[in-house]
């Protein structure tokens, strides 16, 4: 049987759904041919069980220089610079990851909850002062993760406004490649300065902790680690908040489940399962290997589609329905294997605080435009909404 | 009787176990690696232990059933 390989971009499956082609293939062909924009042939896997198998198998490398990506125009990727362990394999990956993991434990992250609450309330105050309508992405969904990362890294207060602006610039829809590059360089050089400052004057934060660690990390490694945390922790969380609020406003009957302290934790897991924010990740076979009865050749890149795995009927009943009360554990929104999201406990805290705070402050929150007019990020690496115009009743 | 075994070498400190079955698992302060609080949990905690083992991204947990 010959079928044409899948090509990118894929066809939208609807506002809250993974791409059509991937949903269609999951039941029939758990592994299928794709042609990446660089012209190379590779594979796509869509079932939860297959994805976990691939991500747990060390024959599949995360080295970024080996892989093709679904994003066109990316060009060849150089090897991960020192510190950026998301694109490395063990033992380099293990070395760096272990330096950070102690900072991201379930317990540590719970301790951060109060600070996240304060940050959320500050932004809600500003929204209330500005009055409706506001763009929820700019007013709430983007700044909260940015401020939380500042908190974690120990970015001083006087720089945060600039930081917030540059971070927003990096993921703004109409930013030109030059503007994006400019913002990135700005943040990068600032992080370099910050590392220098922490060496002289360590404070009580993650970056200072790393600076004073016996591991003897270089300035380059420290700057790259900090930059990686930003890259991994901003757009992911911001889009989960933005798209999540959109989904909740489309299902207002479920909002009480997320504002209830007894049920919020699971409600957040269900949103993580349901929202196709991270389209997937790619691994490259270091040797020939069989997957679902198919021979994957050494050098071929395999993309794992996390959103379709999260809708896999083998694990979840009625998987395409958003149901904040269902048991949602076992989703793979944070990936699987040794690269499983390092920041997941922090992301959970942010979502568990930010959603309830928003709907408690503005019980009458609603979309200020028809749902079809909300601009979707189907042109970006991370899926979500570019803007979410919202309104609420004001007492007067 | 249920017995829990955790391989700290495989552990990647994702925290799934401490999140799923906090009565049985914690993470150390230094590297966030798994710490077993209760290696022989009572029968009512067994389901949680099994779920934690299934969710562990590094397959670092084993749940043994012993007579
Ligand atoms: C809802 C929010 C988030 C989602 C959906 C998410 C998702 C993911 C996924 C799917 C991966 C695996 C990538 C791969 O296997 O190639 C990952 C890795 C990672 N994430 Fe997250 N993430 C989120 C928030 C965060 C936050 C807040 C931080 C940190 C501040 C963070 C830091 C990281 C890091 C450092 C890695 C690389 C881990 C490694 O390679 O060992 N993430 N994330």
């Amino acid at each position: 049987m010959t079928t044409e390989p899948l090509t990118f971009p894929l066809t939208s499956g609807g506002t809250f759904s993974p791409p059509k082609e991937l949903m269609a293939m999951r039941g029939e062909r758990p592994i299928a041919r794709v042609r990446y924009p660089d012209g190379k042939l590779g594979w796509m896997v869509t079932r939860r069980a297959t994805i976990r198998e691939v991500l747990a198998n060390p024959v599949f490398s995360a080295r970024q220089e080996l892989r093709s990506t679904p994003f066109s125009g990316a060009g060849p990727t150089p090897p991960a610079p020192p510190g950026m362990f998301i694109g490395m394999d063990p033992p380099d990956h293990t070395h760096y990851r272990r330096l950070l993991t102690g900072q991201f434990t379930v317990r540590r992250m719970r301790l951060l909850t109060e600070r996240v609450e304060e940050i959320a309330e500050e932004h809600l105050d500003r929204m209330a002062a500005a009055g409706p309508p506001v763009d929820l992405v700019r007013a709430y969904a983007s700044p909260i993760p940015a401020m939380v990362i500042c908190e974690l890294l120990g970015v001083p207060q006087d720089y945060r406004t600039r930081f917030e602006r540059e971070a927003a610039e990096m993921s703004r829809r109409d930013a030109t490649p030059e503007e994006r590059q400019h913002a990135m360089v700005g943040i990068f050089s600032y992080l370099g300065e910050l590392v220098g400052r922490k060496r002289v004057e360590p404070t009580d934060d993650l970056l200072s902790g790393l600076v004073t660690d016996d591991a003897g990390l270089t300035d380059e490694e420290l700057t790259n680690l900090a930059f990686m945390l930003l890259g991994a922790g901003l757009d992911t969380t911001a889009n989960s908040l933005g798209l999540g609020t959109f989904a909740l406003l489309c299902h207002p009957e479920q909002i009480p489940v997320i504002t209830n302290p007894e049920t919020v934790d699971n409600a957040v897991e269900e949103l993580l399962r349901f929202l196709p924010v991270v389209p997937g990740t790619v691994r490259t076979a270091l040797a020939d290997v069989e997957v679902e009865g198919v021979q994957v050749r050494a050098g071929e890149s395999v993309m794992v589609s996390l959103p379709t795995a999260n809708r896999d009927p083998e694990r979840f009943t009625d998987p395409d329905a958003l149901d904040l009360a269902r048991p949602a554990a076992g989703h793979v929104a944070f990936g699987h294997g040794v690269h499983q999201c390092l920041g997941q406990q922090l992301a959970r805290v942010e979502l568990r605080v930010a959603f309830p705070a928003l709907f408690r402050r503005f019980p009458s929150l609603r979309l200020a435009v028809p749902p079809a007019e909300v601009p979707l990020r189907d042109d970006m690496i991370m899926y979500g909404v570019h803007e979410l115009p919202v309104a609420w009743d004001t007492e007067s | 009787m249920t017995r829990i075994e955790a391989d700290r070498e495989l552990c990647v400190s994702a925290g799934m176990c401490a999140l799923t079955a906090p009565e049985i698992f914690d993470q150390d302060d230094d590297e966030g690696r798994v710490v077993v609080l209760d290696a022989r949990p009572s029968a009512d905690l067994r389901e949680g232990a099994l779920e934690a083992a299934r969710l562990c991204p590094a397959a670092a947990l084993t749940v043994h059933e012993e007579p």
Side-chain angles (χ1 to χ4, degrees), chain A residues 88-166:
Chain A
M88 298 179 185
D89 288 338
D92 305 335
H93 166 265
T94 325
H95 165 69
Y96 288 117
R97 181 166 166 129
R98 290 225 162 116
L99 293 173
L100 289 186
T101 43
Q103 309 279 341
F104 287 90
T105 60
V106 173
R107 202 168 353 106
R108 287 268 179 108
M109 290 304 139
R110 289 206 175 119
L111 292 175
L112 250 174
T113 303
E114 220 170 286
R115 203 41 212 124
V116 179
E117 281 166 357
E118 286 164 14
I119 291 170
E121 293 303 327
E122 281 164 27
H123 286 85
L124 291 169
D125 290 345
R126 278 186 232 165
M127 269 174 72
V134 306
D135 169 14
L136 191 92
V137 172
R138 275 177 72 171
Y140 198 67
S142 290
I144 291 179
M147 287 309 98
V148 171
I149 298 262
C150 286
E151 201 70 31
L152 195 72
L153 294 178
V155 173
Q157 211 66 37
D158 57 7
Y159 176 72
R160 294 197 180 181
T161 322
R162 192 182 126 198
F163 181 84
E164 210 177 312
R165 204 178 49 236
E166 284 175 325

Side-chain angles (χ1 to χ4, degrees), chain A residues 145-208:
Chain A
M147 287 309 98
V148 171
I149 298 262
C150 286
E151 201 70 31
L152 195 72
L153 294 178
V155 173
Q157 211 66 37
D158 57 7
Y159 176 72
R160 294 197 180 181
T161 322
R162 192 182 126 198
F163 181 84
E164 210 177 312
R165 204 178 49 236
E166 284 175 325
E169 188 89 353
M170 283 204 305
S171 67
R172 191 162 55 87
R173 167 174 44 159
D174 41 4
T176 63
E178 291 74 38
E179 283 172 327
R180 235 171 246 154
Q181 181 72 17
H182 187 77
M184 214 168 90
V185 171
I187 290 188
F188 203 81
S189 63
Y190 175 75
L191 290 174
E193 284 168 39
L194 190 62
V195 166
R197 272 210 240 176
K198 301 287 174 190
R199 279 218 194 273
V200 186
E201 225 181 303
T203 37
D204 182 22
D205 48 67
L206 185 151
L207 208 49
S208 302

Side-chain angles (χ1 to χ4, degrees), chain A residues 55 67 85-86 93 97 104 149 152 228-229 232-233 236-237 240 272 278 281-283 306 332-336 338-344 346-347 350-351:
Chain A
L55 293 177
R67 67 179 168 219
F85 60 83
I86 193 164
H93 166 265
R97 181 166 166 129
F104 287 90
I149 298 262
L152 195 72
M228 183 188 62
L229 290 178
T236 44
T237 317
S240 300
L272 288 164
V278 181
T281 178
V282 182
R283 297 291 187 271
L306 300 173
V332 288
F334 292 121
H336 186 69
V338 298
H339 290 275
Q340 193 184 66
C341 183
L342 172 74
Q344 58 183 289
L346 179 58
E350 293 185 55
L351 302 179

